[in-house]
Amino acid sequence: YIPYRKRDSKRNRDSEMHGYFAGHGYACLRVDLRGSGGSDGILKDEYLQQELDDGVEVLRWIASQPWCSGKVGMIGISWGGFNGLQIAARRPPELGAVVSVCSTDDRYADDVHYMGGCLLGDNLSWASIMFERNANPPDPQIVGDRWRQMWRDRLESSGLWLNTWLRHQHRDAYWKHGSICEDFDAVQCPIMAVSGWADGYSNAVFRLLKGLNVPRRGLIGPWSHRYPHDGIPGPAIGFLQECMRWWDQWLKDKDRGVDDDPMLRVWMQDSVPPTTSYDTRPGRWIAEDTWPSSRIEQHVFPLAMARIAGRNEDVSEMPITVQSPLRLGLFAGKWCSYSAPPDLPSDQREEDGGALVFDSGPLTEPVEILGAPEVDLMLTSNKPVAMVAVRLTDIAPDHRATRVTYGILNLTHRDGHEYPEPLEPGKKYRVTVPMNGVAHSFPSGHRIRVALSTSYWPLAWTPPEVTRLTVFTGASQLRLPVRPPSVDDESLRTFPEPEVAPAGEETMIAPSDAQWKVIRDLAVDESTLMVVKDLGTVRIEDIDLELTKRSTEKYTICNDDPSSARGETNWEAIFKRGDWKTRTLTKTVLTSDGSSFYVDADLDAYDGERRFFCKSWHEVIPRELV
């Protein structure tokens, strides 16, 4: 149940999955959201009440068909994983089970828009993707001669979603809507929650297992934002077979042993050298019967001058300052990895020179963690609005630095995201910065590093002023969720190899291209991250459609000037069948100064070679402690 165009853009991906389920005795339906693909209406935002009401109505219709038993399951990744959870919270009696992949229960604190109260660069990137998608025409083969009027209605009325998202900078009612963490008990059907360590949504799996009161299972592999049967980095697994066990158990009342499965299975990642893409992450499957697990031990380490002290070491309180270059973060990778183009974090030595670094001594034995590491910091700021980024890094004996996990916090949100408060310069505050949950094995001989910085561009938008933090050793500490080895892991059921149904035939007409470049102009001290994603031109043979899509993203900043921060995204999409051809161009530019964000956007649409529609936006949005 998605807005991504079931007929063309997601046709082959979904046919592999839904064809597989159909081959095992399930009727499978794919639905374009109202206002997308071949559906009527206008799509004006994510997860609106109309979308959820429509979803409940679709379930009711399916259950009433003679080929349906009355029990329906929902599966989806990303948007389709989100609304599966949200519709489950509506308690439609027809919904028997959900498989939610790469999704969240918390639309403010753990989605593509904000993280730790900081504005994410992916907010602009994602808004630009939907700007392009919403400008695509319906297919005349489906809607007939109405297609032009439907297309014009969408172009005129869908709107600039980035404007809306930037006008809700705190956790208000807008974000609470659709966040099932507001009332976990509203969900009454079984939930399988799935993600990957390179995905942006792995934290939700832990929260769903803890918060829900229904049969539930969690699965986290090494994957990025993809289904696990197509998981990159590998190893991919036979995920569709796992889904079949889930559907049979809850939709057909067949005992498939689901009740005997551990609540949580995750991939314990081995240490690897840093690189921006991996074909496979070495490691092993581990499991916990419950989450939170009583087996996880919290180990606390004081932070001393330039080092992580021993667990019981007495460390004196001393001030140490950090004022990072605004460009720090160019090697952080993407907030949510799609593994194309190579978007994982590079060697962290590129970043550590501008950060406050604390290293452990060489480990005398392996240390394995499962869960969310945290740092408690005693600090002061010289400005009323500031952020801190925290990285946990695996340092090999040859000094290569692989980022294990990270967290960011807008320090005005230190007491919550709903009612932030400015900092009083010079005043001491104790803050906790949680990092993303992870499973990682630090080998003996390696060191653990904590790095603190005042910028993480462009993963997070820069604060309105250059800031300096003073951190106090002794009073600051690292907390690691250490998991002792378990012999039970050796007897876990082995996942089968991936199986899928045949996909439709596609012909590559023009090749794809992917680039991820960091550019430094030393003459003006300007740093740029350039991302190119050219999907080439593909002919979908089943519907005789040629589809071309390409995008560029460019994030630029000058080292000591926050008002120089600039993000620009451009998309082009072409649909062609015989004499029918449409082309859309979208451009979005986000800039800021100390008081406001500025959004400039352009939309151009062509029917053949004739310009069919154009519109421009210029929005000024006050900054609210961001």
Side-chain angles (χ1 to χ4, degrees):
Y1 182 46
I2 54 174
Y4 304 142
R5 302 180 64 91
K6 64 182 176 62
R7 180 164 170 79
D8 41 62
S9 291
K10 298 303 179 185
R11 184 185 188 91
N12 276 6
R13 182 200 73 178
D14 288 352
S15 66
E16 292 182 338
M17 179 169 68
H18 289 269
Y20 187 89
F21 295 153
H24 287 80
Y26 284 88
C28 299
L29 290 87
R30 300 164 62 235
V31 180
D32 283 329
L33 294 185
R34 183 190 295 254
S36 69
S39 289
D40 287 291
I42 307 297
L43 183 60
K44 295 188 175 183
D45 202 352
E46 304 171 313
Y47 321 120
L48 296 177
Q49 191 62 44
Q50 180 70 69
E51 173 185 337
L52 305 185
D53 291 344
D54 287 348
V56 171
E57 183 62 28
V58 168
L59 291 172
R60 186 178 299 122
W61 181 89
I62 293 172
S64 70
Q65 302 309 302
W67 39 259
C68 183
S69 68
K71 286 187 176 181
V72 186
M74 288 187 72
I75 184 171
I77 185 171
S78 201
W79 192 310
F82 279 47
N83 62 25
L85 295 175
Q86 294 164 3
I87 291 172
R90 300 285 306 278
R91 302 185 185 182
E94 302 83 4
L95 185 58
V98 170
V99 177
S100 182
V101 183
C102 302
S103 69
T104 191
D105 59 313
D106 191 331
R107 293 186 56 217
Y108 180 81
D110 200 26
D111 192 10
V112 72
H113 309 289
Y114 298 89
M115 179 180 182
C118 300
L119 175 66
L120 289 170
D122 267 29
N123 189 47
L124 168 61
S125 176
W126 174 239
S128 302
I129 291 174
M130 291 312 300
F131 195 22
E132 176 267 322
R133 290 283 169 90
N134 293 332
N136 294 167
D139 193 329
Q141 281 192 347
I142 298 297
V143 303
D145 293 339
R146 300 188 300 140
W147 77 270
R148 280 192 180 89
Q149 187 57 52
M150 291 176 65
W151 190 25
R152 184 177 294 278
D153 291 344
R154 292 180 185 183
L155 293 167
E156 289 179 344
S157 303
S158 181
L160 187 68
W161 294 9
L162 180 61
N163 176 41
T164 300
W165 299 340
L166 285 174
R167 293 186 185 277
H168 295 276
Q169 296 169 32
H170 306 154
R171 186 189 178 88
D172 57 14
Y174 175 83
W175 300 112
K176 292 178 183 179
H177 168 78
S179 293
I180 70 163
C181 63
E182 296 292 313
D183 181 12
F184 281 120
D185 289 339
V187 175
Q188 298 279 294
C189 69
I191 304 290
M192 182 194 297
V194 183
S195 187
W197 298 130
D199 180 43
Y201 295 101
S202 55
N203 294 326
V205 176
F206 294 108
R207 290 194 305 272
L208 289 167
L209 296 184
K210 180 181 179 181
L212 292 172
N213 293 303
V214 294
R216 58 206 184 274
R217 293 294 180 268
L219 173 65
I220 309 175
W223 318 298
S224 57
H225 198 69
R226 305 165 77 107
Y227 281 112
H229 58 273
D230 189 34
I232 300 175
I237 65 168
F239 177 63
L240 300 187
Q241 296 95 301
E242 294 301 304
C243 292
M244 287 300 309
R245 296 177 65 237
W246 191 254
W247 299 138
D248 285 351
Q249 184 88 21
W250 303 114
L251 302 183
K252 291 187 175 181
D253 298 322
K254 295 181 179 179
D255 185 0
R256 295 296 304 275
V258 169
D259 287 337
D260 298 326
D261 289 344
M263 181 179 287
L264 175 65
R265 282 191 68 166
V266 304
W267 185 252
M268 175 62 72
Q269 300 181 115
D270 289 344
S271 180
V272 290
T275 184
T276 57
S277 64
Y278 300 93
D279 291 331
T280 300
R281 279 299 300 261
R284 71 188 195 280
W285 289 106
I286 64 171
E288 294 294 337
D289 289 331
T290 60
W291 192 264
S293 170
S294 60
R295 299 180 64 254
I296 306 298
E297 303 171 356
Q298 292 294 327
H299 289 194
V300 181
F301 303 89
L303 299 182
M305 294 294 288
R307 65 186 180 91
I308 299 172
R311 291 177 64 186
N312 299 314
E313 186 175 344
D314 188 19
V315 177
S316 59
E317 183 175 313
M318 297 183 64
I320 184 170
T321 63
V322 57
Q323 180 174 308
S324 303
L326 294 181
R327 67 173 180 272
L328 193 152
L330 290 168
F331 298 89
K334 202 168 177 64
W335 173 82
C336 181
S337 170
Y338 299 88
S339 289
D343 52 12
L344 296 174
S346 184
D347 194 320
Q348 296 298 284
R349 289 177 292 182
E350 300 281 359
E351 311 277 35
D352 287 343
L356 197 58
V357 173
F358 306 87
D359 283 358
S360 74
L363 299 176
T364 57
E365 59 184 19
V367 174
E368 295 191 344
I369 61 172
L370 172 60
E374 295 180 339
V375 292
D376 287 329
L377 298 175
M378 182 70 77
L379 54 75
T380 65
S381 170
N382 67 336
K383 301 292 182 181
V385 179
M387 67 166 285
V388 63
V390 181
R391 291 176 284 123
L392 186 70
T393 307
D394 183 338
I395 310 298
D398 63 4
H399 301 292
R400 285 186 288 182
T402 302
R403 196 187 74 191
V404 174
T405 184
Y406 75 99
I408 56 177
L409 178 64
N410 177 344
L411 294 172
T412 70
H413 288 235
R414 60 196 177 274
D415 295 322
H417 298 309
E418 194 165 357
Y419 302 107
E421 292 288 342
L423 299 157
E424 181 181 329
K427 180 180 177 179
K428 278 188 177 181
Y429 296 94
R430 176 168 291 284
V431 301
T432 298
V433 186
M435 290 175 259
N436 292 329
V438 72
H440 182 83
S441 180
F442 294 91
S444 60
H446 285 221
R447 290 173 291 133
I448 298 173
R449 173 173 293 170
V450 171
L452 311 178
S453 61
T454 57
S455 181
Y456 212 35
W457 169 267
L459 191 147
W461 203 264
T462 184
E465 299 180 274
V466 174
T467 57
R468 177 179 298 167
L469 299 179
T470 300
V471 177
F472 294 87
T473 63
S476 300
Q477 58 190 21
L478 166 68
R479 290 204 297 269
L480 289 180
V482 175
R483 181 184 188 267
S486 172
V487 295
D488 294 339
D489 297 333
E490 300 174 6
S491 59
L492 288 173
R493 180 176 57 87
T494 301
F495 285 120
E497 292 298 309
E499 293 180 356
V500 296
E505 184 179 353
E506 288 187 350
T507 303
M508 182 65 73
I509 298 173
S512 61
D513 183 34
Q515 301 175 26
W516 189 277
K517 296 182 177 180
V518 172
I519 304 164
R520 291 285 308 279
D521 185 344
L522 298 179
V524 292
D525 201 15
E526 182 180 84
S527 300
T528 300
L529 174 64
M530 173 73 77
V531 179
V532 176
K533 187 176 183 180
D534 186 344
L535 301 179
T537 300
V538 174
R539 179 186 291 115
I540 304 173
E541 300 294 350
D542 290 349
I543 56 175
D544 188 29
L545 179 72
E546 292 183 14
L547 180 59
T548 302
K549 290 200 175 187
R550 58 179 65 95
S551 72
T552 60
E553 300 180 23
K554 185 178 179 182
Y555 303 91
T556 302
I557 198 164
C558 293
N559 197 36
D560 293 316
D561 182 9
S563 65
S564 68
R566 185 180 191 275
E568 177 182 331
T569 60
N570 292 269
W571 272 90
E572 179 183 32
I574 301 172
F575 292 77
K576 186 177 186 298
R577 178 189 297 114
D579 295 334
W580 178 67
K581 178 182 178 181
T582 67
R583 177 171 174 252
T584 56
L585 300 169
T586 57
K587 177 181 179 180
T588 311
V589 177
L590 176 62
T591 58
S592 64
D593 57 23
S595 61
S596 300
F597 293 105
Y598 303 92
V599 180
D600 292 277
D602 298 296
L603 168 60
D604 286 278
Y606 293 84
D607 180 359
E609 300 304 318
R610 181 178 65 90
R611 196 182 204 182
F612 179 73
F613 181 87
C614 65
K615 186 173 182 179
S616 296
W617 290 260
H618 176 69
E619 302 287 342
V620 180
I621 302 150
R623 295 181 80 146
E624 301 174 15
L625 300 180
V626 173

